[in-house]
PDB file of all heavy atoms in Angstrom:
ATOM      1  N   GLY A 197      10.272  -3.798   1.119  1.00  0.00           N
ATOM      2  CA  GLY A 197      10.870  -5.082   0.736  1.00  0.00           C
ATOM      3  C   GLY A 197      10.435  -6.234   1.513  1.00  0.00           C
ATOM      4  O   GLY A 197      10.350  -7.370   1.000  1.00  0.00           O
ATOM      5  N   GLY A 198      10.432  -6.118   2.773  1.00  0.00           N
ATOM      6  CA  GLY A 198       9.957  -7.046   3.708  1.00  0.00           C
ATOM      7  C   GLY A 198       8.437  -7.515   3.348  1.00  0.00           C
ATOM      8  O   GLY A 198       8.261  -8.797   3.235  1.00  0.00           O
ATOM      9  N   LEU A 199       7.658  -6.636   3.057  1.00  0.00           N
ATOM     10  CA  LEU A 199       6.257  -6.831   2.733  1.00  0.00           C
ATOM     11  C   LEU A 199       6.257  -7.642   1.352  1.00  0.00           C
ATOM     12  O   LEU A 199       5.479  -8.702   1.254  1.00  0.00           O
ATOM     13  CB  LEU A 199       5.281  -5.670   2.642  1.00  0.00           C
ATOM     14  CG  LEU A 199       3.886  -5.894   2.370  1.00  0.00           C
ATOM     15  CD1 LEU A 199       3.259  -6.718   3.375  1.00  0.00           C
ATOM     16  CD2 LEU A 199       3.168  -4.465   2.204  1.00  0.00           C
ATOM     17  N   GLY A 200       7.054  -7.154   0.520  1.00  0.00           N
ATOM     18  CA  GLY A 200       7.178  -7.873  -0.878  1.00  0.00           C
ATOM     19  C   GLY A 200       7.696  -9.276  -0.729  1.00  0.00           C
ATOM     20  O   GLY A 200       7.218 -10.238  -1.363  1.00  0.00           O
ATOM     21  N   THR A 201       8.542  -9.460   0.163  1.00  0.00           N
ATOM     22  CA  THR A 201       9.124 -10.840   0.295  1.00  0.00           C
ATOM     23  C   THR A 201       8.044 -11.725   1.074  1.00  0.00           C
ATOM     24  O   THR A 201       7.902 -12.883   0.665  1.00  0.00           O
ATOM     25  CB  THR A 201      10.430 -10.797   1.116  1.00  0.00           C
ATOM     26  OG1 THR A 201      11.382  -9.998   0.403  1.00  0.00           O
ATOM     27  CG2 THR A 201      10.989 -12.174   1.396  1.00  0.00           C
ATOM     28  N   TRP A 202       7.459 -11.211   2.042  1.00  0.00           N
ATOM     29  CA  TRP A 202       6.463 -12.018   2.831  1.00  0.00           C
ATOM     30  C   TRP A 202       5.290 -12.289   2.242  1.00  0.00           C
ATOM     31  O   TRP A 202       4.670 -13.394   2.138  1.00  0.00           O
ATOM     32  CB  TRP A 202       6.192 -11.213   4.261  1.00  0.00           C
ATOM     33  CG  TRP A 202       5.267 -11.944   5.094  1.00  0.00           C
ATOM     34  CD1 TRP A 202       5.430 -13.069   5.764  1.00  0.00           C
ATOM     35  CD2 TRP A 202       3.910 -11.550   5.309  1.00  0.00           C
ATOM     36  NE1 TRP A 202       4.269 -13.310   6.453  1.00  0.00           N
ATOM     37  CE2 TRP A 202       3.306 -12.441   6.137  1.00  0.00           C
ATOM     38  CE3 TRP A 202       3.232 -10.388   4.895  1.00  0.00           C
ATOM     39  CZ2 TRP A 202       2.123 -12.245   6.702  1.00  0.00           C
ATOM     40  CZ3 TRP A 202       1.939 -10.346   5.425  1.00  0.00           C
ATOM     41  CH2 TRP A 202       1.324 -11.207   6.228  1.00  0.00           C
ATOM     42  N   ALA A 203       4.618 -11.231   1.434  1.00  0.00           N
ATOM     43  CA  ALA A 203       3.221 -11.258   0.879  1.00  0.00           C
ATOM     44  C   ALA A 203       3.283 -11.459  -0.637  1.00  0.00           C
ATOM     45  O   ALA A 203       2.315 -11.916  -1.212  1.00  0.00           O
ATOM     46  CB  ALA A 203       2.387 -10.172   1.254  1.00  0.00           C
ATOM     47  N   GLY A 204       4.304 -11.064  -1.229  1.00  0.00           N
ATOM     48  CA  GLY A 204       4.391 -11.186  -2.739  1.00  0.00           C
ATOM     49  C   GLY A 204       4.513  -9.690  -3.221  1.00  0.00           C
ATOM     50  O   GLY A 204       3.995  -8.697  -2.460  1.00  0.00           O
ATOM     51  N   VAL A 205       4.683  -9.645  -4.515  1.00  0.00           N
ATOM     52  CA  VAL A 205       4.892  -8.209  -5.134  1.00  0.00           C
ATOM     53  C   VAL A 205       3.647  -7.607  -5.279  1.00  0.00           C
ATOM     54  O   VAL A 205       3.476  -6.437  -4.953  1.00  0.00           O
ATOM     55  CB  VAL A 205       5.594  -8.422  -6.552  1.00  0.00           C
ATOM     56  CG1 VAL A 205       5.742  -7.101  -7.127  1.00  0.00           C
ATOM     57  CG2 VAL A 205       7.033  -8.905  -6.203  1.00  0.00           C
ATOM     58  N   ARG A 206       2.625  -8.314  -5.872  1.00  0.00           N
ATOM     59  CA  ARG A 206       1.371  -7.683  -6.240  1.00  0.00           C
ATOM     60  C   ARG A 206       0.599  -7.151  -4.878  1.00  0.00           C
ATOM     61  O   ARG A 206       0.159  -5.975  -4.931  1.00  0.00           O
ATOM     62  CB  ARG A 206       0.446  -8.694  -6.931  1.00  0.00           C
ATOM     63  CG  ARG A 206      -0.590  -8.147  -7.701  1.00  0.00           C
ATOM     64  CD  ARG A 206      -1.292  -9.180  -8.560  1.00  0.00           C
ATOM     65  NE  ARG A 206      -0.494  -9.744  -9.682  1.00  0.00           N
ATOM     66  CZ  ARG A 206      -0.472  -9.316 -10.854  1.00  0.00           C
ATOM     67  NH1 ARG A 206      -1.414  -8.362 -11.249  1.00  0.00           N
ATOM     68  NH2 ARG A 206       0.133  -9.925 -11.749  1.00  0.00           N
ATOM     69  N   PRO A 207       0.602  -7.985  -3.853  1.00  0.00           N
ATOM     70  CA  PRO A 207      -0.105  -7.451  -2.619  1.00  0.00           C
ATOM     71  C   PRO A 207       0.665  -6.243  -2.081  1.00  0.00           C
ATOM     72  O   PRO A 207       0.068  -5.320  -1.434  1.00  0.00           O
ATOM     73  CB  PRO A 207      -0.102  -8.599  -1.619  1.00  0.00           C
ATOM     74  CG  PRO A 207      -0.013  -9.802  -2.517  1.00  0.00           C
ATOM     75  CD  PRO A 207       0.715  -9.387  -3.626  1.00  0.00           C
ATOM     76  N   ALA A 208       1.932  -6.155  -2.184  1.00  0.00           N
ATOM     77  CA  ALA A 208       2.924  -5.202  -1.569  1.00  0.00           C
ATOM     78  C   ALA A 208       2.562  -3.919  -2.453  1.00  0.00           C
ATOM     79  O   ALA A 208       2.329  -2.801  -1.896  1.00  0.00           O
ATOM     80  CB  ALA A 208       4.243  -5.563  -1.642  1.00  0.00           C
ATOM     81  N   LEU A 209       2.377  -3.960  -3.845  1.00  0.00           N
ATOM     82  CA  LEU A 209       1.946  -2.798  -4.659  1.00  0.00           C
ATOM     83  C   LEU A 209       0.593  -2.407  -4.418  1.00  0.00           C
ATOM     84  O   LEU A 209       0.379  -1.075  -4.308  1.00  0.00           O
ATOM     85  CB  LEU A 209       2.039  -3.291  -6.135  1.00  0.00           C
ATOM     86  CG  LEU A 209       3.510  -3.435  -6.528  1.00  0.00           C
ATOM     87  CD1 LEU A 209       3.451  -3.987  -8.003  1.00  0.00           C
ATOM     88  CD2 LEU A 209       4.223  -2.100  -6.477  1.00  0.00           C
ATOM     89  N   VAL A 210      -0.338  -3.217  -4.078  1.00  0.00           N
ATOM     90  CA  VAL A 210      -1.678  -2.842  -3.662  1.00  0.00           C
ATOM     91  C   VAL A 210      -1.629  -2.145  -2.336  1.00  0.00           C
ATOM     92  O   VAL A 210      -2.311  -1.010  -2.143  1.00  0.00           O
ATOM     93  CB  VAL A 210      -2.745  -4.000  -3.616  1.00  0.00           C
ATOM     94  CG1 VAL A 210      -3.936  -3.718  -3.051  1.00  0.00           C
ATOM     95  CG2 VAL A 210      -2.845  -4.597  -5.007  1.00  0.00           C
ATOM     96  N   ALA A 211      -0.970  -2.639  -1.402  1.00  0.00           N
ATOM     97  CA  ALA A 211      -0.809  -1.943  -0.054  1.00  0.00           C
ATOM     98  C   ALA A 211      -0.190  -0.575  -0.200  1.00  0.00           C
ATOM     99  O   ALA A 211      -0.585   0.438   0.434  1.00  0.00           O
ATOM    100  CB  ALA A 211       0.029  -2.924   0.860  1.00  0.00           C
ATOM    101  N   GLY A 212       0.863  -0.359  -1.070  1.00  0.00           N
ATOM    102  CA  GLY A 212       1.469   0.889  -1.258  1.00  0.00           C
ATOM    103  C   GLY A 212       0.464   1.854  -1.888  1.00  0.00           C
ATOM    104  O   GLY A 212       0.471   3.058  -1.656  1.00  0.00           O
ATOM    105  N   ALA A 213      -0.261   1.363  -2.946  1.00  0.00           N
ATOM    106  CA  ALA A 213      -1.238   2.331  -3.544  1.00  0.00           C
ATOM    107  C   ALA A 213      -2.294   2.674  -2.546  1.00  0.00           C
ATOM    108  O   ALA A 213      -2.629   3.864  -2.610  1.00  0.00           O
ATOM    109  CB  ALA A 213      -1.888   1.578  -4.786  1.00  0.00           C
ATOM    110  N   CYS A 214      -2.689   1.823  -1.688  1.00  0.00           N
ATOM    111  CA  CYS A 214      -3.787   2.227  -0.700  1.00  0.00           C
ATOM    112  C   CYS A 214      -3.110   3.183   0.220  1.00  0.00           C
ATOM    113  O   CYS A 214      -3.898   4.057   0.763  1.00  0.00           O
ATOM    114  CB  CYS A 214      -4.287   0.971   0.088  1.00  0.00           C
ATOM    115  SG  CYS A 214      -5.280  -0.039  -1.004  1.00  0.00           S
ATOM    116  N   LEU A 215      -1.957   3.027   0.698  1.00  0.00           N
ATOM    117  CA  LEU A 215      -1.283   3.967   1.614  1.00  0.00           C
ATOM    118  C   LEU A 215      -1.211   5.442   0.955  1.00  0.00           C
ATOM    119  O   LEU A 215      -1.141   6.377   1.632  1.00  0.00           O
ATOM    120  CB  LEU A 215       0.122   3.449   2.037  1.00  0.00           C
ATOM    121  CG  LEU A 215      -0.078   2.337   2.925  1.00  0.00           C
ATOM    122  CD1 LEU A 215       1.346   1.756   3.376  1.00  0.00           C
ATOM    123  CD2 LEU A 215      -0.713   2.840   4.320  1.00  0.00           C
ATOM    124  N   LEU A 216      -1.042   5.357  -0.417  1.00  0.00           N
ATOM    125  CA  LEU A 216      -0.895   6.747  -1.030  1.00  0.00           C
ATOM    126  C   LEU A 216      -2.202   7.504  -0.965  1.00  0.00           C
ATOM    127  O   LEU A 216      -2.210   8.780  -1.122  1.00  0.00           O
ATOM    128  CB  LEU A 216      -0.537   6.566  -2.511  1.00  0.00           C
ATOM    129  CG  LEU A 216       1.085   6.118  -2.764  1.00  0.00           C
ATOM    130  CD1 LEU A 216       1.292   5.903  -4.164  1.00  0.00           C
ATOM    131  CD2 LEU A 216       1.869   7.208  -2.300  1.00  0.00           C
ATOM    132  N   VAL A 217      -3.368   6.868  -0.689  1.00  0.00           N
ATOM    133  CA  VAL A 217      -4.620   7.419  -0.612  1.00  0.00           C
ATOM    134  C   VAL A 217      -4.877   8.103   0.691  1.00  0.00           C
ATOM    135  O   VAL A 217      -5.577   9.053   0.841  1.00  0.00           O
ATOM    136  CB  VAL A 217      -5.726   6.563  -1.054  1.00  0.00           C
ATOM    137  CG1 VAL A 217      -7.118   7.030  -0.835  1.00  0.00           C
ATOM    138  CG2 VAL A 217      -5.589   6.034  -2.419  1.00  0.00           C
ATOM    139  N   VAL A 218      -4.183   7.593   1.743  1.00  0.00           N
ATOM    140  CA  VAL A 218      -4.342   8.156   3.195  1.00  0.00           C
ATOM    141  C   VAL A 218      -4.167   9.665   3.228  1.00  0.00           C
ATOM    142  O   VAL A 218      -5.024  10.261   3.899  1.00  0.00           O
ATOM    143  CB  VAL A 218      -3.441   7.259   4.142  1.00  0.00           C
ATOM    144  CG1 VAL A 218      -3.462   7.853   5.436  1.00  0.00           C
ATOM    145  CG2 VAL A 218      -3.918   5.813   4.087  1.00  0.00           C
ATOM    146  N   PRO A 219      -3.179  10.169   2.747  1.00  0.00           N
ATOM    147  CA  PRO A 219      -2.955  11.681   2.953  1.00  0.00           C
ATOM    148  C   PRO A 219      -4.111  12.526   2.214  1.00  0.00           C
ATOM    149  O   PRO A 219      -4.634  13.511   2.847  1.00  0.00           O
ATOM    150  CB  PRO A 219      -1.707  11.945   2.334  1.00  0.00           C
ATOM    151  CG  PRO A 219      -0.832  10.769   2.300  1.00  0.00           C
ATOM    152  CD  PRO A 219      -1.896   9.639   2.104  1.00  0.00           C
ATOM    153  N   CYS A 220      -4.623  11.964   1.129  1.00  0.00           N
ATOM    154  CA  CYS A 220      -5.706  12.641   0.519  1.00  0.00           C
ATOM    155  C   CYS A 220      -7.096  12.601   1.414  1.00  0.00           C
ATOM    156  O   CYS A 220      -7.698  13.629   1.528  1.00  0.00           O
ATOM    157  CB  CYS A 220      -6.042  12.006  -0.808  1.00  0.00           C
ATOM    158  SG  CYS A 220      -4.642  12.208  -2.011  1.00  0.00           S
ATOM    159  N   VAL A 221      -7.171  11.383   2.074  1.00  0.00           N
ATOM    160  CA  VAL A 221      -8.414  11.355   2.893  1.00  0.00           C
ATOM    161  C   VAL A 221      -8.220  12.230   4.060  1.00  0.00           C
ATOM    162  O   VAL A 221      -9.173  12.905   4.517  1.00  0.00           O
ATOM    163  CB  VAL A 221      -8.578   9.873   3.244  1.00  0.00           C
ATOM    164  CG1 VAL A 221      -9.682   9.749   4.373  1.00  0.00           C
ATOM    165  CG2 VAL A 221      -8.929   9.086   2.080  1.00  0.00           C
ATOM    166  N   VAL A 222      -7.117  12.256   4.616  1.00  0.00           N
ATOM    167  CA  VAL A 222      -6.818  13.023   5.916  1.00  0.00           C
ATOM    168  C   VAL A 222      -7.027  14.586   5.524  1.00  0.00           C
ATOM    169  O   VAL A 222      -7.802  15.266   6.265  1.00  0.00           O
ATOM    170  CB  VAL A 222      -5.398  12.912   6.440  1.00  0.00           C
ATOM    171  CG1 VAL A 222      -5.018  13.892   7.480  1.00  0.00           C
ATOM    172  CG2 VAL A 222      -5.318  11.435   6.997  1.00  0.00           C
ATOM    173  N   LEU A 223      -6.585  15.035   4.347  1.00  0.00           N
ATOM    174  CA  LEU A 223      -6.776  16.380   4.057  1.00  0.00           C
ATOM    175  C   LEU A 223      -8.317  16.660   3.635  1.00  0.00           C
ATOM    176  O   LEU A 223      -8.768  17.876   3.964  1.00  0.00           O
ATOM    177  CB  LEU A 223      -5.810  16.705   2.872  1.00  0.00           C
ATOM    178  CG  LEU A 223      -4.425  17.001   3.047  1.00  0.00           C
ATOM    179  CD1 LEU A 223      -3.587  17.104   1.778  1.00  0.00           C
ATOM    180  CD2 LEU A 223      -4.153  18.103   3.987  1.00  0.00           C
ATOM    181  N   ALA A 224      -8.960  15.694   3.055  1.00  0.00           N
ATOM    182  CA  ALA A 224     -10.271  15.928   2.704  1.00  0.00           C
ATOM    183  C   ALA A 224     -11.144  16.103   3.866  1.00  0.00           C
ATOM    184  O   ALA A 224     -12.073  16.830   3.900  1.00  0.00           O
ATOM    185  CB  ALA A 224     -10.790  14.807   1.899  1.00  0.00           C
TER     186      ALA A 224
END
């Protein structure tokens, strides 16, 4: 919510999508 307020909704969603990839990279 803080990121969405500070940077906007679209960048917050992009950041969240990028963070979802992190566990896959760690496991790979």
Side-chain angles (χ1 to χ4, degrees):
L199 182 63
T201 301
W202 177 72
V205 175
R206 204 173 291 260
L209 288 173
V210 170
C214 291
L215 286 174
L216 287 174
V217 175
V218 171
C220 296
V221 172
V222 169
L223 284 174

